[in-house]
Amino acid sequence: MAQVLEFKLPDLGEGLTEAEIVRWLVEVGDVVSIDQPVVEVETAKAMVEVPCPYGGVVTARFGDEGTELPVGAPLLTVAVGSSGEAPGRSDSGSGAADAEPAAADSGSGNVLVGYGTGAPPVRRRRVRPEGLKGLKAAVAAPAAPADTSSGASSGASSGAVSGVSSGASPARTDRESGPVAVVSPLVRRLARQHDLDLRRLAGSGPDGLILRADVESAIRSAAEAPAVAPAVPDASSVPSPDGERTPLRGVRGAVADKLSRSRREIPDATCWVDADATELMAARAAMNSTGGPGAGPKVSVLALLARICAAALARYPELNSTVDQEAREIVRLPHVHLGFAAQTERGLVVPVVRDAQARNTESIGAEIARLTEAARTGTLKPAELTGGTFTLNNYGVFGVDGSTPIINHPEAAMLGVGRIVPKPWVYEGQLAVRQVVQLSLTFDHRVCDGGTAGGFLRYVADCVEQPALLLRSL
């Protein structure tokens, strides 16, 4: 007999208490295996795919895409067999499905790989094909009408096998509430990319199995049909008589809170200087002109500036600190965890290069490249977005020369870098066209005075103008 287990939104770590459902990866009636990602959520720090610790058939989902859920709220329910087992696990014994009591705390324990879970992994045995068919049949059977007055979570935890997800219409046919006859993940992905409901397709494969050809045929038919449905407005923007309103939540909301707190708590000041970056650009070109095996990836300007910052912080450690407001103490930090601002479709994020003081330029560049790619794809982990001690902000990529950056609370300083462009410059007593960049340093005036901040900025500018100075600190 099938038993329904409830999977709740797990603790995502890093002090996060809620998450927004971005995209469901499974439908009601889908068969899921242990540790299969079932939903993509957005926290205040990163996008996370949440794997389910149970294996079986999805009977209900709680929350539409765009809904914010607190940690501990129900995500979905899964009907498992009498042993609470998932397909795909081998049985070293006779091949029969040994009976184990299925409890709500059973599962893989790997709710979020890389974030840690409290429960140890649980051994599971394989469900034989005939057992899986019976489980599908149990879920596909007509269910009693749900009591909508008691909420979605109470119905799911009562043990009734429900094929209706939260927010969905309760009037669904047996075909709509049953399992989807799809085996290939590629077929599912193709259907999801084209917003195709697999439950409305008749499979041409054995026993009604939906094949890729069936999905492609349905996509072609949809493309040829005239579009008559009205456009649905974006739920993230709420019309208002005063104008369009966009909720501050997720990454954008977290950034807004941090910037507001920085302005409230930190008495910041900014100093800036123009620097001749011609020699720095020439040094970078020389580094990247070395070819052959083992040459490594190209060195970026950002990697060079990051290495310069690490060297400057070794000379001026006051700027690699934070302020304990309650204790009224300045805490000088022993390691340089260098953050860099990265603009993504989800907003501004600041990935962190750990222990930048112990890395060379090539190592810093490789880590920046890895973190940047993760930021663009939305796969940064919360731990990769926290713990920074100093931030480098290259706003020159937006085609601007200068800025007064807001400090990334609770850090003590941020270096801003404008675009590097040809400008008239007095070089060795003669007017010449040189590659010029504006550098700006915003710092917490509680941790140091203008002399220290000016010394830091001047050292950075000197390294930009004469990269050989870096050899002293490598």
Side-chain angles (χ1 to χ4, degrees):
M1 178 179 178
Q3 180 179 5
V4 174
L5 300 181
E6 184 179 77
F7 174 43
K8 299 180 180 179
L9 179 64
D11 182 356
L12 305 176
E14 302 293 335
L16 301 173
T17 59
E18 60 188 7
E20 177 184 340
I21 296 175
V22 175
R23 182 166 61 99
W24 283 104
L25 305 178
V26 295
E27 301 285 345
V28 173
D30 287 358
V31 177
V32 297
S33 57
I34 293 175
D35 290 345
Q36 176 182 334
V38 293
V39 65
E40 187 178 66
V41 301
E42 179 182 26
T43 71
K45 299 184 182 297
M47 296 273 279
V48 178
E49 285 189 351
V50 181
C52 181
Y54 311 126
V57 179
V58 177
T59 60
R61 302 184 320 192
F62 303 113
D64 298 327
E65 294 178 356
T67 302
E68 272 195 340
L69 296 178
V71 170
L75 268 179
L76 50 77
T77 53
V78 179
V80 301
S82 60
S83 12
E85 302 169 17
R89 298 300 175 100
S90 62
D91 186 358
S92 58
S94 62
D98 296 340
E100 296 178 10
D105 60 350
S106 65
S108 70
N110 298 324
V111 175
L112 279 181
V113 177
Y115 296 87
T117 58
V122 177
R123 288 191 61 190
R124 296 191 173 272
R125 300 183 182 274
R126 183 177 181 181
V127 174
R128 300 185 66 181
E130 56 269 24
L132 186 57
K133 290 180 181 178
L135 180 58
K136 289 182 179 180
V139 177
D147 183 3
T148 57
S149 63
S150 60
S153 60
S154 61
S157 59
S158 64
V161 179
S162 171
V164 182
S165 63
S166 175
S169 171
R172 303 182 67 174
T173 65
D174 289 350
R175 175 176 176 80
E176 290 177 327
S177 61
V180 181
V182 178
V183 174
S184 171
L186 295 178
V187 173
R188 290 184 184 276
R189 179 182 300 176
L190 184 63
R192 187 164 57 241
Q193 289 173 344
H194 291 81
D195 296 326
L196 188 65
D197 187 355
L198 289 171
R199 287 179 177 74
R200 300 186 181 277
L201 294 186
S204 60
D207 298 326
L209 184 68
I210 298 175
L211 306 177
R212 180 171 182 170
D214 302 325
V215 174
E216 291 176 341
S217 176
I219 293 172
R220 287 194 298 269
S221 300
E224 295 171 357
V228 296
V232 179
D234 185 359
S236 63
S237 300
V238 182
S240 167
D242 301 327
E244 187 179 43
R245 296 172 180 259
T246 301
L248 283 174
R249 62 189 184 193
V251 171
R252 189 169 297 278
V255 170
D257 293 340
K258 177 166 282 195
L259 295 179
S260 298
R261 183 177 182 183
S262 178
R263 279 296 192 212
R264 285 196 309 268
E265 296 185 6
I266 299 178
D268 58 342
T270 302
C271 54
W272 57 88
V273 65
D274 289 340
D276 180 0
T278 306
E279 296 300 326
L280 182 71
M281 300 303 289
R284 174 176 175 265
M287 294 176 190
N288 292 335
S289 65
T290 304
K298 299 292 185 181
V299 175
S300 67
V301 174
L302 189 61
L304 288 170
L305 291 170
R307 186 63 189 87
I308 291 173
C309 283
L313 290 171
R315 287 182 169 234
Y316 299 92
E318 297 91 339
L319 293 169
N320 194 60
S321 61
T322 187
V323 174
D324 186 336
Q325 188 68 27
E326 294 184 2
R328 295 184 62 81
E329 294 175 341
I330 297 172
V331 182
R332 188 174 297 181
L333 304 170
H335 303 282
V336 176
H337 300 320
L338 188 68
F340 63 96
Q343 191 70 37
T344 70
E345 293 181 356
R346 299 169 56 239
L348 181 70
V349 295
V350 184
V352 178
V353 177
R354 304 283 167 180
D355 296 310
Q357 83 286 346
R359 296 174 180 262
N360 58 26
T361 303
E362 189 174 83
S363 173
I364 290 177
E367 184 68 355
I368 287 176
R370 184 188 72 81
L371 292 170
T372 300
E373 180 60 25
R376 288 173 179 167
T377 57
T379 57
L380 281 171
K381 298 177 181 178
E384 294 172 327
L385 290 164
T386 55
T389 62
F390 184 93
T391 297
L392 176 60
N393 187 358
N394 181 20
Y395 44 74
V397 296
F398 302 118
V400 298
D401 295 327
S403 175
T404 54
I406 299 177
I407 296 173
N408 188 21
H409 185 280
E411 298 169 12
M414 177 185 291
L415 179 71
V417 182
R419 59 177 179 165
I420 302 176
V421 292
K423 288 184 179 180
W425 189 266
V426 177
Y427 177 69
E428 295 182 350
Q430 300 292 325
L431 187 63
V433 176
R434 306 286 286 180
Q435 299 290 323
V436 178
V437 61
Q438 185 180 98
L439 306 170
S440 60
L441 178 71
T442 298
F443 64 98
D444 186 340
H445 223 313
R446 296 173 298 178
V447 304
C448 67
D449 55 23
T452 300
F456 174 93
L457 186 59
R458 188 63 256 173
Y459 178 79
V460 171
D462 290 344
C463 287
V464 168
E465 295 183 341
Q466 304 175 57
L469 289 176
L470 272 178
L471 294 174
R472 297 180 179 179
S473 57
L474 294 180

